[in-house]
Amino acid sequence: MLGSRKAVYFLGGIVVSVFSLTFSLPAMLTGAEYVSNSGCKCHMGKGCYEGEEYKERLHSNTWEKRLKGTPDAENPDCLKCHATAYGEKIAEAGKKYLPNVQCEACHGAGSEYKKVKENYEGKGKDAFKELLKKDPLMARKVQYDAGLIVAGINGPATVKEQCLKCHWETKDDKNKCPKTDKVMDYKDYFKKDDHRDNDEIDDVIKKMSPEDKKKWAALLPKDEILNTPLKPKKKE
Ligand code: HEC
Ligand code: HEC
Ligand code: HEC
């Protein structure tokens, strides 16, 4: 599979695109807009692991349960952590924010990726699915190029730094919620929030040679937690 000359040739192109992504925000590069969880509907349906898990998480209620109906419902000081895309480009006209911590709060604005999924290279709605099967790493590159943040590795931050946009590790952090003194224990919180599943990309990564892994380093999980092998959980 990988390790062939074709793969090595292809890797040359990756280095260039990853290099440019590291220095600017994907959304700025792609002009992507936030499409909200309803725009991520492939993942939200019944039987889809990430969506099902998400609905059980506090992240899916951070505005609904904490701000809705209170004097702070539209307070920018709260929305920056309890909502998504405050002050960013949102696809639906007239929206200033998306309630709760939605998929795109961590995975980046989804409009360009949505286009890819619906009609990859103008070849219709199954084309991306087919690419995922045939060449999962290329599919991942396509996701990156569309501005998607997978594992926080194509953004300027690690996953932990992403969490720290809204969480904090000490009580006297300046970037902290005025309503609670709870602090984040990263490993523990990550475990609670982990919604990874085993997919084709993970299988390809597992079988890669150390040399190929080195070449793909910028696209592969480098986070201390994400470096550990995936433990696929059963779909319910
Ligand atoms: C820096 C990000 C941030 C800001 C700003 C922020 N929050 Fe929070 N808020 C959080 C996080 C994260 C938690 C959960 C902490 C945890 O469980 O570890 C939380 C928890 C809460 C809770 C639950 C507290 C409890 O008893 O458990 C309420 C209520 C709340 N926030 C309201 C607000 C309001 C109102 C504002 C604006 C005045 C606000 N937050 C601003 C991040 C933030
Ligand atoms: C609080 C941040 C956060 C939110 C919210 C979030 N994710 Fe994730 N997501 C992550 C992290 C961190 C990972 C792990 C990195 C990885 O393995 O790629 C991940 C991984 C994934 C993966 C890869 C899973 C795999 O099997 O490799 C998918 C797909 C995904 N998320 C979809 C979603 C969807 C859909 C939503 C909304 C319903 C969502 N995520 C909400 C942070 C988040
Ligand atoms: C956009 C802001 C935002 C980001 C980014 C974010 N969180 Fe949160 N998170 C919150 C808020 C707000 C709450 C509080 C939910 C509540 O109590 O209403 C929360 C709650 C949680 C909780 C529940 C805590 C509990 O008491 O059970 C976990 C776990 C968590 N976050 C993990 C993470 C992890 C891991 C990341 C990074 C991958 C992350 N969060 C990124 C805003 C965020």
Side-chain angles (χ1 to χ4, degrees):
M1 216 183 291
L2 268 151
S4 70
R5 242 184 253 146
K6 204 173 124 216
V8 173
Y9 172 74
F10 159 52
L11 285 162
I14 299 276
V15 172
V16 176
S17 67
V18 168
F19 184 78
S20 53
L21 282 170
T22 319
F23 292 96
S24 44
L25 290 168
M28 283 160 67
L29 269 180
T30 60
E33 296 179 344
Y34 287 79
V35 295
S36 92
N37 280 4
S38 62
C40 312
K41 68 176 184 325
C42 307
H43 292 276
M44 300 309 293
K46 205 163 166 46
C48 182
Y49 192 72
E50 302 89 29
E52 298 263 294
E53 293 254 296
Y54 172 78
K55 287 172 209 157
E56 292 164 12
R57 300 283 151 82
L58 275 173
H59 282 151
S60 66
N61 279 297
T62 54
W63 185 84
E64 212 73 34
K65 276 199 183 145
R66 306 303 191 191
L67 304 187
K68 192 181 173 184
T70 76
D72 287 315
E74 310 279 314
N75 183 348
D77 288 340
C78 314
L79 291 176
K80 64 175 186 173
C81 298
H82 285 263
T84 301
Y86 182 75
E88 308 278 343
K89 265 170 87 182
I90 296 174
E92 197 181 331
K95 288 234 159 150
K96 286 209 188 96
Y97 64 90
L98 303 168
N100 309 313
V101 178
Q102 303 201 6
C103 313
E104 293 167 294
C106 303
H107 289 290
S111 64
E112 297 311 296
Y113 179 50
K114 196 168 165 248
K115 284 181 202 157
V116 163
K117 271 210 159 170
E118 283 164 359
N119 193 11
Y120 175 56
E121 289 188 328
K123 290 183 212 149
K125 67 175 171 47
D126 292 327
F128 186 75
K129 260 191 216 153
E130 278 159 25
L131 180 70
L132 249 178
K133 285 239 147 58
K134 227 175 57 200
D135 193 346
L137 281 174
M138 177 57 111
R140 179 164 275 195
K141 175 183 165 6
V142 170
Q143 292 176 324
Y144 277 80
D145 288 348
L148 210 70
I149 297 172
V150 185
I153 27 179
N154 64 336
T158 63
V159 173
K160 184 173 174 180
E161 283 161 352
Q162 267 187 294
C163 310
L164 287 174
K165 283 198 305 193
C166 306
H167 290 270
W168 51 90
E169 294 186 297
T170 57
K171 276 189 185 177
D172 38 63
D173 199 313
K174 280 201 194 96
N175 182 43
K176 176 182 164 302
C177 179
K179 303 286 182 187
T180 176
D181 273 336
K182 280 188 203 154
V183 294
M184 175 178 79
D185 172 332
Y186 178 56
K187 284 199 173 159
D188 181 46
Y189 272 47
F190 188 90
K191 223 163 109 192
K192 275 197 209 163
D193 196 54
D194 198 356
H195 49 278
R196 278 174 297 165
D197 197 356
N198 202 49
D199 62 19
E200 289 93 342
I201 296 174
D202 303 314
D203 293 336
V204 170
I205 291 170
K206 252 182 249 157
K207 288 183 205 145
M208 280 167 83
S209 70
E211 293 79 56
D212 275 334
K213 271 195 183 151
K214 241 183 231 162
K215 285 176 204 141
W216 280 84
L219 273 181
L220 297 176
K222 61 185 174 201
D223 191 89
E224 55 174 316
I225 288 178
L226 298 178
N227 260 336
T228 60
L230 290 176
K231 288 192 197 92
K233 284 166 269 178
K234 272 197 209 116
K235 283 186 187 167
E236 309 257 323

